[in-house]
Amino acid sequence: ENTIIVFLSDNGGPTRELTSSNLPLRGGKGQMYEGGLRIPFMVQWKGHLPAGQLYRHPVSSMDLFATAAGLGNIPAPENLDGVDLLPYLRGSKKDPPHESLFWRQRHKTAFRMGAWKIVGDTRKQDDHHWELYNLAQDLTERVNLASRHPDKLNELRQAWSAMNAQMAEPLF
């Protein structure tokens, strides 16, 4: 009753050859599709969080530090990317904890804002190398909507560029 238990995986199952399956999601470990980013993330805290609750908004493993700081009544650093999840899990905050999510690994990148997501390769600079998906309608990321919604693609690319400009160059 005094311990919060968190279980999470990392970055999707590796490959079918190693008996992993991320179905129905596209992709796997090391990829920017949902099969490489969406993972099991479970929290249990008897007497403090409702049992069996399914939380539908995206969260990040970076939220764990802010959540732990909140549990200890310790102010989290102002430049922290994570948020304290407990008000969301308890229902006192109804809005999603993140307006957007950003991923970058070498030249591979993804950015999500609401249900919309772009996947790109930063070695290539033109619009044709960015994919656009609406995860509310296509969780499997099979229908690239970039040519049908150029304004949405541009909006997400601009938001990605603003976020990317804040990031240090990757060390690996």
Side-chain angles (χ1 to χ4, degrees):
E1 287 73 30
N2 294 324
T3 304
I4 189 168
I5 299 169
V6 178
F7 172 83
L8 69 150
S9 179
D10 76 331
N11 303 335
T15 62
R16 285 189 294 267
E17 294 81 20
L18 297 174
T19 67
S20 295
S21 173
N22 298 313
L23 292 176
L25 304 176
R26 178 179 177 183
K29 190 176 221 55
Q31 295 183 344
M32 295 293 144
Y33 298 108
E34 290 298 289
L37 301 175
R38 195 177 282 241
I39 60 165
F41 192 131
M42 294 173 267
V43 179
Q44 177 182 322
W45 193 14
K46 289 183 181 179
H48 298 274
L49 292 175
Q53 172 180 289
L54 182 60
Y55 188 74
R56 295 258 179 218
H57 295 293
V59 298
S60 168
S61 60
M62 293 186 291
D63 297 330
L64 292 176
F65 184 89
T67 302
L71 282 169
N73 293 318
I74 299 168
E78 287 186 27
N79 64 346
L80 192 67
D81 287 330
V83 299
D84 182 352
L85 292 176
L86 290 179
Y88 298 94
L89 298 177
R90 289 178 169 156
S92 60
K93 286 191 175 182
K94 303 290 185 199
D95 53 325
H98 300 280
E99 288 183 28
S100 62
L101 294 169
F102 174 95
W103 297 270
R104 184 183 71 189
Q105 181 184 26
R106 295 183 195 94
H107 59 276
K108 298 179 290 187
T109 190
F111 182 78
R112 179 173 175 177
M113 190 180 326
W116 291 96
K117 178 181 169 190
I118 56 173
V119 176
D121 184 332
T122 58
R123 293 175 298 186
K124 302 164 186 165
Q125 298 300 319
D126 62 24
D127 284 342
H128 301 291
H129 293 94
W130 286 90
E131 300 168 22
L132 175 69
Y133 300 99
N134 183 320
L135 298 177
Q137 297 171 352
D138 179 20
L139 186 61
T140 61
E141 295 170 298
R142 296 289 177 215
V143 181
N144 181 358
L145 300 171
S147 63
R148 287 190 234 167
H149 297 281
D151 291 343
K152 183 57 76 173
L153 175 65
N154 188 46
E155 176 188 350
L156 266 68
R157 282 195 58 201
Q158 287 181 8
W160 175 87
S161 292
M163 181 79 73
N164 191 54
Q166 299 174 31
M167 301 295 161
E169 284 300 313
L171 297 175
F172 60 93

